[in-house]
Amino acid sequence: MKDTICLEEKLLELLESGYDCRRGTQHSFEVLYHLSHLRENLTGWLPIKAQETVLEFGADTGQLTGALIRKAKQVVCLEDKEQRGRLIQVRHGQAENLTVHTGNPWKILEKEGLGNFDWIIAPALLQQAVFFFPGPCPEAEALKAILRYLAPGGHLVLTADNRFGLKYWAGAMELHTGKYFQSLEGEGFGYSKKELERILEAGGCQQVQFYYPYPERWFPSAVYSDARLPRSGELNQNLRNFEGERLVLFEEEKVYDRLIADGRFPEFANAFLCVVGPKTEEQILYTKYSNDRAERFCLRTDIVKTAKGMEVRKVPLSEPAKKHVRDMKDWEEVLDRCYKKNHISANRCELRGDTACFEFLEGRTFEEHLDELRRQKDYAGLTMELLRFRELLTETLKPEQRPFEKSGVFREMFGDPAFSKAYEGAPVNNLDWIFGNLMETKEGIQIMDYEWTFPVQVPTAYLLWRALSLYLNSREDIKHLGLMAQMGISGEEEELFAGMEHQFQLWLLQGTVTIGAQYLATAGRTIPLWQMVEAAKKNRIQVYTDTGNGFSEAESRWEKAEPDKQGLIRLELHLPEGTKALRLDPAENPCLVYVSRILGELGGTYPLAWTHNGRELEAQGVLYTTTDPQILIPEVVPGTRRIYVQMTVEELHPDTAYSCMELLNRVRKAERFYESRPVRWLLKLRKALR
């Protein structure tokens, strides 16, 4: 309780000082969780109309409230903790359409006569139901109770973690219990999709649309639906363990791709968002947020189903971003004139207020085409298609190209790279001439998205590098093919263009600390599987026995080798009948081994002779530079059934082992030199002369 009060006092102090999470000066998960603007991404896309009323049931510290008060006619927040209610007041107190009530939310609803609401946003309703409702299914009882306050035709919004979310299989801890795999084992506060469906049905929720926030529901960057599920390669931001450490047992992106191909993503999404109520006139099927950058570039991309069909909308999320969105119409006209010379079109754009609306194109992107060739391992075909892309890009821009010169705008956006050769470039460039934005449709090739169009000249070669670099970024399996060189881009150019891209990304951020950067500064450690395996290997020794057939993996076993407080490993090895020889592999890396004793037992104990494949360091033991160090006991007295070994094993970094070996070789060389006859004679002569 004391920790909670301290946190709330800290949050209050930060809010009163005007703290902005975008600057990232507080490396704290709690601060990020409560104050990050990205929290609003969970529900900020909902189609709430200006004349509608909203009840936020369980508003916590107001993480979602800001987006709601910007949209609705009236927002009523219910929060059981008084201090958190105060935080909401401080955070959003200037909003005239906001009312905050603190105390038991169910009692407030009964007493205050707040009426019915068009929207009820209740993120924690299901998880908190057990504290207010008895019985075998408190969640269903909570749903029945809350639905009484929903206006006819209204919508109830719920969220829940998926107990079978892929992150839990991959090694993330259950957030509320802090234990590994507890969610999968039935503990914690998560629900499977089938569990949710049963609860919703039992609670009287007749019409439900499922949505899937990604990568989770705390800081989602995208929200998918059953009508627009993720595509291969889209789910590539999976490390979000801000709250503590996690294991990394496999590459989640690759597993997601397989689940997507198998049509099973909804079962393994990390979180659910359920909208209970009739489908709205316009349905948002998918939304992607781009608000982790400078305010003038902050927007949201929606795929919307309307009465007329599908369309894509770019919605500004700040006042400065409105110009950025409106400019897209101008760029459509400019690019269309340029591209049509090579039979390419810019996706049609229509402005509706401050929103840019685009035609929803159907077809296959160039990226999807390349990925198909990649899956088939048709690398020759993939290279030919990349060469075709290069020709398409250069021929399209050729009529506009001029000798490239660095302008002031170029330096501001891309820095001042020291080019060693002359380039050509167009005066206006769509920097997103990338594979995923180039689509082959029935009407021909179209550029789907041209948000990053600027009146700045850049080398056309940079556009080619950028498209290929973004494609290769998450495709490790083809990085060895040397595709950059085959596209005519040298290693020096790769370095220069990468520097340009880095400066461009900094320019887009303008001081914003991204959630990825916040993760690096805030999150707990990640423990990969290979690291765990290596750690397990450190305290074990492989024992090979030769019973007449030589040494083999089939006749070997692993023995635990936990050192004591003095670092000594004591082994008692039981030998199979007929053992003639023995081999011990003390590690699987370079190491330093000191053997105190090796004894056989036959009536009494007797010393066993042994050899090795390392280099003796006299009193220090045996130095091994190999990854297969061995101790060989070539002769075991017949009838010996037990052997005692006492030794120390210190694993070394390969560079350390090789350095030690090099030093030892020099010492031995020096010893041989001083022991040589000429040197001994000279030393005697010098002694005599003295």
Side-chain angles (χ1 to χ4, degrees):
M1 183 66 178
K2 185 178 178 182
D3 290 342
T4 303
I5 293 172
C6 290
L7 172 62
E8 287 163 349
E9 288 175 352
K10 181 179 182 179
L11 294 175
L12 184 61
E13 182 182 330
L14 289 171
L15 286 171
E16 289 176 337
S17 68
Y19 177 72
D20 185 355
C21 252
R22 296 170 192 265
R23 304 279 80 85
T25 56
Q26 294 284 325
H27 299 158
S28 159
F29 168 63
E30 288 80 10
V31 171
L32 197 61
Y33 174 87
H34 287 284
L35 301 186
S36 173
H37 67 290
L38 301 180
R39 294 297 310 279
E40 293 182 3
N41 294 359
L42 181 68
T43 53
W45 57 276
L46 293 168
I48 299 171
K49 296 178 181 177
Q51 71 274 18
E52 293 182 320
T53 56
V54 176
L55 171 66
E56 190 178 3
F57 188 93
D60 201 18
T61 56
Q63 302 100 315
L64 309 179
T65 311
L68 303 176
I69 59 180
R70 289 193 294 272
K71 284 188 168 188
K73 175 184 176 182
Q74 183 67 34
V75 177
V76 175
C77 290
L78 303 184
E79 171 53 40
D80 61 344
K81 297 182 180 67
E82 187 174 340
Q83 275 199 305
R84 300 214 162 178
R86 187 183 170 200
L87 286 170
I88 300 170
Q89 297 274 18
V90 172
R91 191 173 192 172
H92 306 295
Q94 294 181 349
E96 296 179 356
N97 61 339
L98 174 66
T99 305
V100 180
H101 297 274
T102 57
N104 185 312
W106 296 105
K107 290 182 178 178
I108 293 170
L109 282 175
E110 290 174 7
K111 289 181 180 179
E112 297 293 335
L114 298 175
N116 291 345
F117 296 86
D118 299 300
W119 290 83
I120 298 177
I121 313 296
L125 179 78
L126 300 177
Q127 296 91 323
Q128 298 294 320
V130 67
F131 302 118
F132 298 99
F133 295 90
C137 190
E139 296 94 340
E141 297 305 313
L143 287 172
K144 292 174 185 176
I146 199 72
L147 287 173
R148 293 200 295 267
Y149 301 95
L150 194 64
H155 297 85
L156 168 64
V157 180
L158 309 163
T159 66
D161 293 314
N162 182 4
R163 73 161 66 256
F164 296 134
L166 191 66
K167 68 178 183 180
Y168 296 127
W169 298 94
M173 291 189 293
E174 208 289 335
L175 180 64
H176 300 92
T177 67
K179 301 289 181 66
Y180 289 115
F181 308 116
Q182 276 207 315
S183 175
L184 305 178
E185 294 167 353
E187 301 295 329
F189 294 87
Y191 303 88
S192 72
K193 191 165 188 282
K194 288 190 179 295
E195 281 179 305
L196 267 183
E197 288 170 342
R198 287 195 294 267
I199 290 168
L200 290 165
E201 184 179 357
C205 302
Q206 301 301 318
Q207 298 170 290
V208 183
Q209 291 99 52
F210 271 83
Y211 292 86
Y212 311 98
Y214 174 82
E216 30 61 35
R217 64 188 178 101
W218 311 121
F219 313 106
S221 59
V223 180
Y224 296 91
S225 73
D226 289 319
R228 195 335 190 148
L229 292 170
R231 294 168 181 167
S232 178
E234 286 185 353
L235 307 183
N236 52 23
Q237 303 293 326
N238 297 302
L239 292 181
R240 284 294 183 268
N241 54 305
F242 291 93
E243 71 286 354
E245 71 177 23
R246 65 158 291 177
L247 310 178
V248 183
L249 302 180
F250 53 78
E251 289 188 52
E252 285 155 89
E253 180 182 354
K254 291 182 179 179
V255 177
Y256 267 134
D257 284 349
R258 300 275 43 90
L259 291 170
I260 290 166
D262 203 38
R264 302 186 67 188
F265 166 77
E267 299 171 49
F268 294 93
N270 287 327
F272 304 114
L273 185 146
C274 304
V275 178
V276 179
K279 290 184 178 180
T280 54
E281 185 180 348
E282 293 187 343
Q283 299 172 56
I284 297 178
L285 307 182
Y286 162 80
T287 188
K288 180 181 179 182
Y289 277 86
S290 302
N291 58 342
D292 207 8
R293 54 201 194 193
E295 275 199 271
R296 68 184 176 116
F297 298 123
C298 286
L299 55 81
R300 191 184 76 233
T301 303
D302 298 336
I303 296 178
V304 186
K305 184 178 181 181
T306 71
K308 295 180 180 179
M310 306 275 281
E311 68 179 19
V312 179
R313 295 176 184 171
K314 300 272 189 181
V315 182
L317 297 178
S318 67
E319 192 63 33
K322 290 179 180 178
K323 180 182 183 304
H324 177 61
V325 172
R326 288 196 302 267
D327 284 347
M328 293 181 195
K329 177 60 182 174
D330 296 331
W331 294 131
E332 179 226 345
E333 295 169 358
V334 170
L335 297 177
D336 209 44
R337 286 196 300 270
C338 172
Y339 296 166
K340 275 191 174 177
K341 299 168 187 174
N342 204 30
H343 309 292
I344 298 175
S345 302
N347 190 5
R348 287 190 288 277
C349 176
E350 176 189 341
L351 287 179
R352 293 188 207 133
D354 294 314
T355 299
C357 303
F358 298 85
E359 182 182 358
F360 181 79
L361 299 177
E362 296 193 51
R364 182 177 67 167
T365 66
F366 191 68
E367 181 174 86
E368 290 169 335
H369 176 48
L370 292 178
D371 278 341
E372 181 58 33
L373 294 171
R374 178 173 148 253
R375 278 190 289 272
Q376 295 171 2
K377 300 190 183 302
D378 183 3
Y379 300 132
L382 186 143
T383 303
M384 291 299 295
E385 288 303 292
L386 288 174
L387 291 170
R388 185 169 74 90
F389 173 86
R390 182 179 68 175
E391 183 180 4
L392 186 68
L393 173 62
T394 53
E395 287 301 313
T396 299
L397 298 182
K398 190 174 183 179
E400 307 292 325
Q401 284 186 336
R402 305 288 184 273
F404 170 72
E405 294 181 3
K406 295 178 194 174
S407 65
V409 176
F410 175 89
R411 287 186 172 88
E412 180 189 342
M413 293 174 63
F414 301 101
D416 193 12
F419 295 124
S420 59
K421 60 184 282 189
Y423 291 100
E424 291 193 334
V428 174
N429 282 283
N430 169 22
L431 303 182
D432 259 356
W433 240 90
I434 59 177
F435 306 150
N437 282 340
L438 199 68
M439 177 174 278
E440 294 186 44
T441 69
K442 292 179 181 178
E443 288 74 32
I445 298 175
Q446 295 203 45
I447 297 291
M448 296 166 57
D449 192 348
Y450 37 84
E451 178 187 346
W452 296 139
T453 301
F454 300 98
V456 60
Q457 189 186 35
V458 298
T460 302
Y462 165 69
L463 300 179
L464 177 62
W465 170 87
R466 192 170 194 270
L468 185 52
S469 176
L470 289 173
Y471 182 73
L472 292 175
N473 184 53
S474 60
R475 293 167 174 83
E476 294 288 336
D477 57 312
I478 57 172
K479 286 186 177 179
H480 68 284
L481 297 177
L483 296 172
M484 283 290 182
Q486 294 187 65
M487 294 303 104
I489 298 171
S490 68
E492 180 189 359
E493 287 176 309
E494 282 193 68
E495 189 174 336
L496 286 169
F497 293 153
M500 281 178 60
E501 182 67 18
H502 177 67
Q503 291 299 320
F504 174 58
Q505 294 300 325
L506 291 178
W507 180 77
L508 292 177
L509 295 175
Q510 295 182 3
T512 300
V513 180
T514 66
I515 194 68
Q518 304 239 32
Y519 172 79
L520 293 175
T522 305
R525 63 176 179 157
T526 55
I527 308 170
L529 177 62
W530 66 265
Q531 219 171 68
M532 290 183 279
V533 172
E534 287 298 314
K537 286 179 180 178
K538 284 185 178 179
N539 293 326
R540 63 178 189 169
I541 286 176
Q542 193 168 13
V543 179
Y544 292 82
T545 52
D546 176 8
T547 56
N549 300 313
F551 297 124
S552 68
E553 292 293 328
E555 290 194 58
S556 74
R557 67 182 188 272
W558 292 97
E559 293 281 347
K560 283 188 176 181
E562 288 282 349
D564 62 16
K565 291 180 180 179
Q566 287 74 42
L568 280 175
I569 296 171
R570 293 180 171 87
L571 300 176
E572 182 179 328
L573 305 177
H574 296 266
L575 306 183
E577 189 175 351
T579 298
K580 300 178 181 297
L582 198 69
R583 191 183 104 194
L584 309 179
D585 288 7
E588 294 183 88
N589 291 300
C591 58
L592 181 64
V593 176
Y594 181 81
V595 178
S596 305
R597 64 176 186 173
I598 300 180
L599 302 174
E601 185 182 274
L602 187 64
T605 59
Y606 68 93
L608 282 162
W610 56 276
T611 61
H612 56 80
N613 64 337
R615 185 77 174 269
E616 290 188 23
L617 292 181
E618 298 176 353
Q620 284 73 38
V622 180
L623 174 67
Y624 295 93
T625 56
T626 176
T627 56
D628 187 24
Q630 299 174 9
I631 296 171
L632 180 64
I633 303 169
E635 293 183 7
V636 176
V637 176
T640 301
R641 300 299 297 274
R642 190 174 300 180
I643 283 181
Y644 302 98
V645 180
Q646 184 174 294
M647 62 182 174
T648 62
V649 179
E650 184 179 350
E651 292 199 22
L652 302 174
H653 189 280
D655 292 345
T656 303
Y658 285 118
S659 296
C660 290
M661 185 64 76
E662 178 65 22
L663 181 61
L664 181 62
N665 288 336
R666 290 183 181 183
V667 170
R668 293 286 186 266
K669 187 176 181 181
E671 288 174 348
R672 288 194 300 271
F673 174 74
Y674 281 106
E675 291 296 321
S676 66
R677 183 176 296 176
V679 172
R680 286 204 311 270
W681 184 85
L682 285 171
L683 290 173
K684 286 180 181 179
L685 178 62
R686 186 172 69 176
K687 186 176 181 181
L689 290 173
R690 285 178 178 173

